[in-house]
Amino acid sequence: MSDLAWVPQSCTLPTEERPLRVAEWDAMFSERLTSLSRPQPLHLRLTLAGGQGVEDSVRGLVERESGCCSFFTFTTSASADLIQLDISVDQTHEAVLDALAARTAAAREQR
């Protein structure tokens, strides 16, 4: 899924930076994802393996993503060795969440 056509027009990240940001998310998914679920159509829940500096990295990525894609709502919580990342969108951006869920699942399967 290297085509970035699914990135909505409302994203303010400069076009040339988008592949780099997607690569950051893909790396996090492939290296840290332990489970994913879709509790509701507009809500994706990811569980990531923790570790030294991982929580700070996740929070930093989420903060940067919130800055350019304000339609996402991110909530993070951490325990000793797991980080839960909840991602929600409004109805207008459900297709973006669908694409993110598919990308996440694909990255997990490539491990």
Side-chain angles (χ1 to χ4, degrees):
M1 193 181 287
S2 60
D3 182 14
L4 298 178
W6 58 272
V7 177
Q9 292 295 320
S10 55
C11 177
T12 62
L13 187 67
T15 303
E16 64 274 5
E17 293 180 31
R18 291 178 185 181
L20 299 173
R21 180 67 57 82
V22 169
E24 284 185 81
W25 283 106
D26 286 348
M28 182 181 69
F29 299 150
S30 66
E31 295 168 9
R32 296 289 170 180
L33 186 68
T34 62
S35 69
L36 70 138
S37 64
R38 192 81 178 258
Q40 298 174 349
L42 303 177
H43 179 191
L44 178 64
R45 175 169 290 150
L46 309 176
T47 303
L48 308 167
Q52 181 91 20
V54 175
E55 182 179 359
D56 290 338
S57 294
V58 170
R59 289 184 188 277
L61 181 55
V62 162
E63 184 177 322
R64 287 182 285 126
E65 193 67 24
S66 295
C68 63
C69 294
S70 61
F71 54 85
F72 281 124
T73 299
F74 296 101
T75 305
T76 57
S77 58
S79 65
D81 56 354
L82 294 175
I83 299 164
Q84 184 172 297
L85 175 58
D86 288 288
I87 307 170
S88 300
V89 296
D90 58 25
Q91 187 70 45
T92 304
H93 293 95
E94 184 175 4
V96 177
L97 193 63
D98 292 343
L100 182 60
R103 223 181 159 79
T104 303
R108 182 179 180 198
E109 290 175 12
Q110 290 180 359
R111 285 196 279 180

